[in-house]
Amino acid sequence: MTATILSRMNKKVVNTHPFSPKSINLLKQKMKKVHVKSGEHLFHVGDVVDHLYYIVEGTVKLYKCTEDGKILTLNYFEADDMFGDYMSSEKHGVMESAKAMDDSVVGVIEKVHIEELLWQNRDISLEFTKWIRLAQQLTQTKLRDLMFFGKNGALASVLIRLTNTYGIREGDIWKVTRKFTHDEIANLICTPRETVTRMINQLKRDGLIHYEKGYITIYNLAGLRQICHCEDCPLQACRL
């Protein structure tokens, strides 16, 4: 974990990392920008989505919600991230919901323009394949962390991902610049808030972290990595 972290988001962990600057510019030329207020949804489960979304400003959360109200937050997307399931069918639609966490500006790229770029530009086609693979790798590592090492391992993994995504390093200490409530952290590992509160308090007593008014400071990153049996994944796969 020696990468330089930016207060907004580490440029090395944006999920459009596989695309060259030239390809990003071509994608931007095809975008239609829309403004989304905090709390508004871009889509809900079951909607047909025939385009991709590129975050210009703000934050969008991708999540699933069960009938009994349980929430699993899948991703936080920040500026220069891209997401969406433009191949969703009218029969099934998408399997997640996307909600703006801040007032955001989002570039919408229609399916016809995506396919046009993929057909006409070999470089974008190859980069697009790498981008899809990166998304799959991110999902696989999150599933591993949720399933293999218990709730403590899942929480430790989330704290490391928060550090990579929103952390600023000061010597051996990492400060997470975005505020996260216990509820939001609980949704990231699909665990009751009370359980998360208990685990965070234990990590505080063990001297690994400090948590105050929603802001997290990591004192012992190596200790968290031991808890979740960190496999030293690429930085692009170790993010929210």
Side-chain angles (χ1 to χ4, degrees):
M1 301 291 179
T2 59
T4 301
I5 304 296
L6 305 180
S7 59
R8 162 174 164 269
M9 188 173 189
N10 188 339
K11 286 294 185 180
K12 293 183 179 180
V13 301
V14 295
N15 74 0
T16 51
H17 181 76
F19 293 97
S20 68
K22 179 181 177 181
S23 297
I24 291 294
N25 287 332
L26 289 172
L27 288 168
K28 288 181 176 181
Q29 291 173 18
K30 301 294 184 179
M31 295 177 192
K32 177 182 178 182
K33 292 182 180 180
V34 297
H35 293 260
V36 188
K37 292 183 179 180
S38 178
E40 290 184 347
H41 280 78
L42 291 167
F43 54 81
H44 292 87
V45 172
D47 290 348
V48 175
V49 177
D50 57 356
H51 37 260
L52 294 177
Y53 299 93
Y54 183 97
I55 309 297
V56 180
E57 297 176 9
T59 306
V60 173
K61 178 177 75 173
L62 195 69
Y63 71 96
K64 293 181 69 69
C65 185
T66 63
E67 292 182 358
D68 59 357
K70 292 181 180 178
I71 295 174
L72 173 61
T73 300
L74 302 170
N75 299 97
Y76 278 79
F77 295 110
E78 298 279 347
D80 299 320
D81 279 333
M82 185 166 68
F83 69 98
D85 183 6
Y86 78 99
M87 295 299 291
S88 64
S89 66
E90 294 184 4
K91 183 178 180 180
H92 300 291
V94 294
M95 301 178 66
E96 311 91 5
S97 298
K99 177 181 178 180
M101 303 302 293
D102 310 312
D103 290 345
S104 304
V105 180
V106 181
V108 180
I109 315 171
E110 301 293 340
K111 177 180 178 180
V112 62
H113 296 313
I114 299 166
E115 294 180 344
E116 179 182 284
L117 287 172
L118 295 178
W119 176 260
Q120 294 178 350
N121 192 305
R122 180 175 178 271
D123 289 340
I124 288 185
S125 181
L126 292 172
E127 292 162 358
F128 194 81
T129 301
K130 293 179 182 178
W131 176 72
I132 292 175
R133 172 57 186 150
L134 176 62
Q136 292 174 337
Q137 185 180 21
L138 178 59
T139 299
Q140 289 168 0
T141 58
K142 287 188 174 184
L143 287 175
R144 176 202 65 199
D145 294 341
L146 285 171
M147 297 176 65
F148 287 174
F149 302 112
K151 297 303 181 184
N152 286 319
L155 176 59
S157 171
V158 163
L159 293 174
I160 293 170
R161 292 173 188 274
L162 287 174
T163 300
N164 288 336
T165 309
Y166 298 109
I168 292 179
R169 185 173 185 175
E170 298 179 357
D172 293 330
I173 296 175
W174 297 79
K175 294 184 177 180
V176 178
T177 58
R178 186 179 182 93
K179 183 178 181 179
F180 281 86
T181 66
H182 285 195
D183 280 322
E184 289 172 321
I185 296 172
N187 291 341
L188 283 163
I189 59 176
C190 202
T191 299
R193 179 185 58 79
E194 295 79 9
T195 302
V196 167
T197 298
R198 184 173 65 251
M199 291 191 296
I200 286 178
N201 287 337
Q202 184 61 54
L203 291 175
K204 289 170 64 177
R205 287 193 292 269
D206 293 340
L208 273 67
I209 71 168
H210 180 68
Y211 180 93
E212 184 175 2
K213 297 181 179 179
Y215 290 99
I216 302 166
T217 301
I218 309 295
Y219 291 131
N220 188 343
L221 191 60
L224 294 177
R225 296 180 71 176
Q226 288 180 351
I227 293 172
C228 67
H229 299 259
C230 178
E231 297 179 0
D232 202 21
C233 297
L235 195 59
Q236 293 84 4
C238 190
R239 54 159 288 178
L240 289 190

